[in-house]
Amino acid sequence: MANTPHKRPMDLLRFATAGSVDDGKSTLIGRLLLDSKAIFEDQLEAVEATSSAKGYDYTDLALLTDGLRSEREQGITIDVAYRYFATPNRKFIIADTPGHVQYTRNMVTGASTANLGLVLVDARQGLTEQSRRHAVILSLLRVPHLVLAVNKMDLVDYSEEVYDEIHEEFTQFATKLNVPDLEVIPISALQGDNVVTRSENMPWYSGPTLMHHLENVHVASDRDLVDVRFPVQYVIRPKSDEFHDFRGYAGQVAGGVLKPGDEVVVLPSGMTSKISRIDLFDNEIAEAFPPMSVTVHLDDDVDVSRGDMIARVNNAPTPSQDIDAMVCWMTTTPLQPRQKLAIKHTTRTGRALVKDISYRLDVNTLHRDQETKELGVNEIGRVQLRTTVPLLVDPYSKNRTTGSFILIDEATGVTVGAGMING
């Protein structure tokens, strides 16, 4: 079968929303779904009926996304809710993350795979402590694009002065963070101003609408297309008569571009070989790039198993058992030195010992508390670990897949921490 260039699928944008309570986050997502024709008429009718039964004189679009009964009753978001919709230009996955401080871990989960972070602020309140915290978390997670949506502009009479004040304050704050791309957009989620259609109420604003920005923000170059990283998830050996000698290595490309004929090294063994072919389902393809899931075949019968990594010979990650990382702790039992946990990094698992906690980061002020020697639930700090197996790591700033890991309680199997590896 001849190599066929893989037809690139429609562009996908994953974005996470964050904001304080009552900033109108769920209403905004409801507005995006409604104005992009992503919901059915019966869904809209059900929401209109519920809004009417609650005595509202408007359609509460937040009911489209707040799925848990406790969320609807309190009018808040608790869990990470994922929503899918598409326009002719792009497909979208929205992670609607909770705003409360006690759900920081949920926000970290929702934003960890996002290409773009959407932070909402209430135009009447301006920047709050929560808004700053969300921006800090998004920058820690290296979300490459950030949008500040100044919502409820209708309640401040679409004032340009209010927008300029928030724009200036947030731009100043963002200079302390690692925010490569920032856009500030004035909107009204309830009325629909500047969400999908341009607002006639804000002639002074000449920037893009929110939907136009989401459709056109450039994300293709955000991934690392230079450093080849292919964590092996599964070794395919059918052992049938038809595929007697078939041996393929399945996984998801985490970095770089793989092509047949490339000389590669298998880590941690250090054995070298060449890629003979790459399969995508039943087709042989000419190249594979993130985030494609493919099967790679090698010329030589080298020993490869789950947890190994295929990389380029002169550009491979360094195996390391000493890990220095920013960790978000997710359980009520605090993280302390000498604690033993299971660790999962890409497809590789092992055990880890907490050597030291350097500091706890105050995500509101960016202050580093070096006196503390433990991390409580929802806290983020710099932690040193020693692992039983060498991990094939890159700095998180370089590759968000090979630069991250999770920590697991061995007794319960529950994920208790998420880590981002420092350079």
Side-chain angles (χ1 to χ4, degrees):
M1 193 185 294
N3 279 2
T4 54
H6 176 61
K7 185 172 178 251
R8 299 196 178 217
M10 189 198 281
D11 204 7
L12 169 69
L13 179 79
R14 292 172 173 269
F15 69 95
T17 61
S20 304
V21 185
D22 300 331
D23 276 348
K25 204 157 32 74
S26 298
T27 307
L28 173 62
I29 293 172
R31 170 65 64 187
L32 282 171
L33 297 175
L34 177 66
D35 286 5
S36 61
K37 311 288 189 285
I39 58 169
F40 297 111
E41 279 184 29
D42 59 338
Q43 285 177 289
L44 183 58
E45 284 167 9
V47 166
E48 286 172 343
T50 308
S51 301
S52 178
K54 286 187 164 197
Y56 300 158
D57 57 359
Y58 62 91
T59 303
D60 185 6
L61 296 174
L63 297 173
L64 288 166
T65 55
D66 285 341
L68 301 177
R69 178 178 289 180
S70 57
E71 293 180 329
R72 289 188 164 207
E73 285 171 355
Q74 296 179 61
I76 62 168
T77 302
I78 295 172
D79 203 1
V80 180
Y82 291 96
R83 292 287 175 270
Y84 307 85
F85 74 102
T87 66
N89 301 328
R90 190 171 250 176
K91 290 193 294 187
F92 299 93
I93 299 177
I94 312 172
D96 183 15
T97 66
H100 293 64
V101 66
Q102 68 264 39
Y103 303 121
T104 298
R105 56 188 179 178
N106 305 52
M107 185 186 165
V108 167
T109 306
S112 61
T113 55
N115 309 107
L116 180 143
L118 176 59
V119 177
L120 262 82
V121 296
D122 185 328
R124 298 168 303 170
Q125 312 288 341
L127 279 189
T128 61
E129 193 176 272
Q130 274 192 327
S131 314
R132 289 187 176 86
R133 190 178 77 249
H134 295 145
V136 169
I137 292 169
L138 289 168
S139 87
L140 269 177
L141 290 165
R142 301 280 176 171
V143 178
H145 306 276
L146 188 60
V147 173
L148 181 73
V150 184
N151 192 22
K152 305 193 181 182
M153 288 298 292
D154 52 313
L155 300 181
V156 292
D157 298 325
Y158 302 101
S159 163
E160 184 179 3
E161 289 75 26
V162 170
Y163 167 77
D164 286 343
E165 198 175 304
I166 294 171
H167 184 295
E168 173 65 24
E169 190 182 351
F170 191 80
T171 307
Q172 284 291 322
F173 178 68
T175 56
K176 301 179 197 170
L177 310 175
N178 190 340
V179 181
D181 174 37
L182 173 64
E183 189 76 46
V184 185
I185 304 174
I187 64 165
S188 168
L190 197 63
Q191 307 300 333
D193 294 276
N194 281 344
V195 179
V196 175
T197 51
R198 181 164 286 287
S199 170
E200 294 175 3
N201 297 309
M202 292 180 271
W204 46 264
Y205 174 71
S206 58
T209 63
L210 179 60
M211 180 60 92
H212 181 272
H213 184 68
L214 294 176
E215 282 188 324
N216 292 284
V217 66
H218 183 67
V219 295
S221 57
D222 293 339
R223 290 184 179 274
D224 180 2
L225 297 174
V226 176
D227 309 299
V228 170
R229 303 288 185 264
F230 184 72
V232 176
Q233 192 167 346
Y234 188 66
V235 180
I236 300 174
R237 288 292 308 276
K239 295 182 181 173
S240 62
D241 290 340
E242 189 183 353
F243 299 103
H244 189 71
D245 294 319
F246 187 99
R247 188 183 182 92
Y249 310 107
Q252 185 176 42
V253 184
V257 180
L258 294 162
K259 294 179 182 174
D262 284 352
E263 194 171 338
V264 293
V265 60
V266 178
L267 297 169
S269 68
M271 301 290 286
T272 57
S273 185
K274 279 189 177 176
I275 296 175
S276 58
R277 78 170 204 262
I278 303 169
D279 293 339
L280 179 70
F281 302 116
D282 294 336
N283 299 320
E284 192 175 328
I285 57 174
E287 60 175 18
F289 47 85
M292 291 169 64
S293 294
V294 296
T295 302
V296 172
H297 302 260
L298 301 179
D299 277 346
D300 307 290
D301 223 2
V302 294
D303 180 20
V304 184
S305 55
R306 175 181 168 84
D308 289 357
M309 186 178 287
I310 294 173
R312 294 296 287 273
V313 173
N314 296 318
N315 182 4
T318 309
S320 176
Q321 287 180 260
D322 290 298
I323 307 297
D324 177 45
M326 297 300 293
V327 170
C328 173
W329 192 244
M330 300 179 171
T331 189
T332 48
T333 308
L335 177 70
Q336 296 173 325
R338 311 304 300 166
Q339 206 164 326
K340 293 188 174 101
L341 299 154
I343 189 168
K344 185 173 187 295
H345 170 263
T346 65
T347 56
R348 199 169 180 78
T349 51
R351 299 179 73 207
L353 172 72
V354 180
K355 282 173 38 182
D356 190 28
I357 298 172
S358 303
Y359 59 80
R360 183 181 65 214
L361 185 71
D362 184 327
V363 289
N364 298 317
T365 63
L366 299 180
H367 172 69
R368 298 175 178 186
D369 178 7
Q370 297 179 338
E371 300 302 310
T372 187
K373 282 302 161 195
E374 66 176 37
L375 289 183
V377 65
N378 290 311
E379 291 184 339
I380 295 172
R382 188 166 184 168
V383 178
Q384 283 74 45
L385 303 169
R386 174 77 178 176
T387 61
T388 53
V389 294
L391 302 182
L392 308 158
V393 301
D394 291 297
Y396 186 77
S397 56
K398 191 174 177 184
N399 189 312
R400 289 169 77 193
T401 304
T402 56
S404 61
F405 59 84
I406 58 171
L407 296 169
I408 300 160
D409 184 321
E410 292 182 288
T412 61
V414 171
T415 301
V416 291
M420 296 151 278
I421 296 163
N422 294 314

